[in-house]
Amino acid sequence: MSVSETTEAPPRRTLTRRQRHRLVLGGEYAVFLAVVLAVVLLADWDTVRQNLANWDVARQLFPDIITVGLRNTVLYTLLAYAFGLAVGMVIAMLRLSSVPPYRWFAMAFVEVFRGLPALLIIIFVGFGIPFAFAIEIPGGVVGQITLALGMVAAGYMAETIRAGIEAVPRGQMEAARSLGMSYGRAMRSIIIPQAFRIIIPPLTNEMILLFKDSSLVLFLAVTLEQRELTKFGRDLTGQVGNTTPIVVAGLCYLLITIPLGYLVRRLDARQRRGQR
Amino acid sequence: MIEIHGLHKAFGSLDVLRGIDLEIAAGAVVCVIGPSGSGKSTLLRCVNLLEQPTTGRVLIGGTEVTDPECDIDAVRRRIGMVFQQFNLFPHLSALDNVAIAQRKVLRRPRREAGRIARENLDRVGLGDKAAAYPAQLSGGQQQRVAIARALAMGPEVMLFDEPTSALDPELVGDVLGVMRGLAMDGMTMLVVTHEMSFAREVADQVVFMDEGVIVEQGPPAQVIGDPSHERTRAFLARVLNPATAT
Ligand SMILES: Nc1ncnc2c1ncn2[C@@H]1O[C@H](COP(=O)(O)OP(=O)(O)O)[C@@H](O)[C@H]1O
Ligand SMILES: [Mg+2]
């Protein structure tokens, strides 16, 4: 279209396409430079460095921010992931059941846990359940965290697993059944291994989301030793009156999420190339 | 070996099988021919209950598989099935494709299952492909692995649903060769096929199906060589002489 515009343009003094492109590009660079200059000139750099990247404060954070904060974040994520995967698996099987009430239950479960904010579930598990039912969740705060974050993940995982199972061609189940395998045996040995190959990228993505959502447990009654990255960073920021701990905690998250995100893109690309 | 009595199968309001009676003696090879959509696959799938018949009875070696009390998984072990699309398990090597049901269903130890798997891969001429994955095999090789997979369970009956229809023409011969060998070894076989020369040579009986009924059945020389029904003649004219078909 633009080609015909330029070729059919009357011989007025119009810009060629190339000139117009240069002009737009130049404009974009000008805006960029102006913003950078404004930030550099207007910000009080000493205050910023003092508060966001204070080496003396940062040094004090180690090794506890790793051995307590990052360790607990990873621990809670893995516990919740394992729990969520197990529950998600069960819900996915119920969702595919030929018994209608099972399917209804699974559908309701997915809708509820996908539809609720993670924080609300965490508060409900941490304070609502002990209060309403007068029971202790086994495992104390760690048990609460596993249950709450696990349920947050389970709804999504159930749907992902179901989609993966349904993506395995029907002929696979028929071939397995025709060899005398029961439905459950065919699922375990033939269908689910193939389904998991398909859904490893979205399941890894779910781990990234869960890793970040684990910060929400700072609302629960964790001890000093049970603090994860976000609570650790917030507490220390309060103690030393400096924002550096939050920045370092943030870098710790990125240390995990960026490589995982890279892994997801690699796995995705490999799958799209149709390799096994 | 296989007895089918008054078999009906409907999908909703669509009557696909409308009263099939067929008996196959032990060691016999029966080829089913007929136009697409006539219910050939459905017939095969009713024999091992991949489809539940609407009415009628199916007996395998005297066991009534249509009896609601029948342990269908136990009966399916005695019936091998080979599909048009092979349906190999893509996440398993050729050897594991042939071994997995032996181990999980027959509870054979890993080594014994592996040995029997190798024997059956040898039998279909693929002893050197044990480690290959299905994606690394040609269609003809995949179909032969599928045959080995069924044979490794020691079936009394083999069902073939157009086993060569998805293959390039030059690969058809290998698969038919394996099937010919099986027939000579005395396997009871029910084969849906469009390979008329195979049917003529190997079949004891040829069954012509159309619109859910058996129109005509008998020895190949009769059904293929000298059909008595107009519908059979029209079908054979199309299959044997596609160029002149109208
Ligand atoms: N699961 C099914 N649900 C509904 N209709 C089916 C199903 N399977 C087969 N049919 C229909 O039954 C008829 C016979 O199919 P099929 O047995 O596959 O024929 P053939 O193998 O002779 O080509 C076709 O019209 C087909 O559309
Ligand atoms: Mg068919």
Side-chain angles (χ1 to χ4, degrees):
Chain A
M1 205 175 92
S2 53
V3 172
S4 67
E5 267 171 24
T6 46
T7 51
E8 288 169 17
R12 263 190 285 139
R13 282 192 302 121
T14 51
L15 298 171
T16 66
R17 218 166 44 145
R18 196 184 165 125
Q19 283 169 326
R20 216 172 351 172
H21 178 71
R22 277 207 194 142
L23 202 67
V24 169
L25 209 63
E28 283 172 10
Y29 272 116
V31 171
F32 174 72
L33 275 175
V35 171
V36 170
L37 265 177
V39 170
V40 169
L41 293 177
L42 296 180
D44 179 347
W45 282 105
D46 279 343
T47 313
V48 169
R49 176 147 26 78
Q50 181 66 25
N51 275 300
L52 289 184
N54 187 321
W55 277 117
D56 295 329
V57 174
R59 254 197 303 276
Q60 290 170 29
L61 298 172
F62 290 90
D64 281 8
I65 195 162
I66 302 294
T67 55
V68 176
L70 183 58
R71 170 187 170 276
N72 282 332
T73 292
V74 169
L75 177 72
Y76 299 159
T77 305
L78 292 181
L79 283 174
Y81 194 80
F83 184 73
L85 195 61
V87 174
M89 193 79 215
V90 171
I91 298 294
M93 296 322 283
L94 293 180
R95 181 77 174 72
L96 294 168
S97 159
S98 52
V99 183
Y102 284 173
R103 286 203 301 272
W104 299 334
F105 171 79
M107 275 149 82
F109 180 98
V110 168
E111 292 306 331
V112 167
F113 284 96
R114 278 199 319 193
L116 292 176
L119 183 53
L120 186 130
I121 296 174
I122 287 168
I123 291 173
F124 184 79
V125 169
F127 305 104
I129 291 183
F131 197 67
F133 302 99
I135 50 159
E136 283 290 317
I137 290 164
V141 175
V142 175
Q144 289 176 1
I145 292 171
T146 304
L147 178 62
L149 283 177
M151 294 308 252
V152 171
Y156 286 98
M157 287 189 179
E159 279 300 277
T160 306
I161 295 168
R162 179 186 63 84
I165 288 173
E166 287 182 342
V168 177
R170 249 171 58 110
Q172 293 290 308
M173 178 56 92
E174 293 184 346
R177 295 307 300 273
S178 77
L179 290 164
M181 292 190 196
S182 65
Y183 177 84
R185 170 48 70 192
M187 268 288 166
R188 285 196 301 276
S189 294
I190 305 300
I191 307 298
I192 288 173
Q194 293 183 59
F196 266 87
R197 262 151 221 255
I198 299 171
I199 61 176
I200 279 176
L203 281 185
T204 311
N205 219 13
E206 180 58 33
M207 181 172 284
I208 297 177
L209 296 180
L210 201 56
F211 190 71
K212 295 189 293 177
D213 277 348
S214 69
S215 66
L216 296 170
V217 308
L218 97 150
F219 287 91
L220 296 178
V222 293
T223 66
L224 287 182
E225 286 304 303
Q226 289 171 331
R227 288 181 298 182
E228 43 64 60
L229 275 174
T230 297
K231 187 171 172 62
F232 191 92
R234 191 197 66 170
D235 286 0
L236 268 92
T237 287
Q239 279 168 30
V240 299
N242 186 293
T243 322
T244 304
I246 293 285
V247 173
V248 177
L251 291 175
C252 289
Y253 279 105
L254 296 180
L255 201 69
I256 305 283
T257 53
I258 289 176
L260 272 182
Y262 176 74
L263 183 70
V264 171
R265 283 194 301 281
R266 280 279 303 269
L267 291 170
D268 245 346
R270 203 173 76 178
Q271 225 159 55
R272 221 158 309 119
R273 282 203 309 272
Q275 284 185 356
R276 1 170 325 104
Chain B
M1 192 70 204
I2 306 180
E3 286 177 58
I4 300 169
H5 299 293
L7 180 65
H8 284 257
K9 174 64 185 177
F11 292 106
S13 61
L14 180 68
D15 283 323
V16 175
L17 297 181
R18 300 182 297 145
I20 301 282
D21 294 283
L22 186 63
E23 284 194 26
I24 301 172
V29 176
V30 172
C31 283
V32 181
I33 60 173
S36 163
S38 56
K40 307 181 298 294
S41 299
T42 306
L43 171 63
L44 243 60
R45 294 160 60 83
C46 281
V47 170
N48 70 351
L49 257 61
L50 283 181
E51 301 289 355
Q52 188 68 45
T54 311
T55 58
R57 305 194 316 141
V58 176
L59 289 85
I60 305 290
T63 315
E64 181 175 346
V65 303
T66 38
D67 181 349
E69 302 283 289
C70 168
D71 176 0
I72 186 58
D73 291 332
V75 177
R76 287 199 184 117
R77 279 167 227 166
R78 297 160 49 196
I79 309 173
M81 183 149 188
V82 175
F83 301 85
Q84 185 175 348
Q85 298 299 335
F86 328 138
N87 294 346
L88 287 187
F89 306 133
H91 62 302
L92 299 177
S93 67
L95 188 82
D96 288 336
N97 262 277
V98 184
I100 188 156
Q102 298 182 59
R103 288 178 44 210
K104 304 295 181 187
V105 176
L106 303 180
R107 302 258 157 237
R108 284 182 190 149
R110 178 186 286 271
R111 293 185 59 143
E112 186 190 350
R115 179 178 58 73
I116 294 173
R118 269 174 215 288
E119 282 171 15
N120 281 286
L121 285 174
D122 279 336
R123 188 170 177 187
V124 300
L126 291 173
D128 56 335
K129 295 287 184 192
Y133 280 84
Q136 299 164 324
L137 298 172
S138 73
Q141 291 170 333
Q142 288 189 53
Q143 191 61 297
R144 285 186 281 154
V145 173
I147 294 172
R149 175 175 73 177
L151 290 177
M153 303 297 283
E156 300 160 36
V157 173
M158 287 284 287
L159 309 175
F160 292 85
D161 190 1
E162 301 197 31
T164 58
S165 294
L167 298 179
D168 293 336
E170 73 270 22
L171 302 175
V172 168
D174 292 339
V175 172
L176 291 182
V178 168
M179 291 169 62
R180 210 171 261 130
L182 274 181
M184 270 182 320
D185 292 344
M187 177 64 77
T188 309
M189 292 162 64
L190 180 54
V191 183
V192 175
T193 187
H194 291 296
E195 297 292 333
M196 289 304 149
S197 56
F198 176 83
R200 221 187 311 242
E201 256 177 72
V202 181
D204 300 294
Q205 292 271 309
V206 172
V207 172
F208 173 69
M209 268 180 80
D210 195 13
E211 295 181 353
V213 294
I214 293 179
V215 175
E216 178 162 7
Q217 77 180 87
Q222 180 192 321
V223 176
I224 299 176
D226 183 23
S228 52
H229 283 72
E230 182 49 42
R231 278 197 277 177
T232 318
R233 275 198 287 273
F235 171 76
L236 287 170
R238 256 178 301 149
V239 175
L240 296 174
N241 233 339
T244 60
T246 48

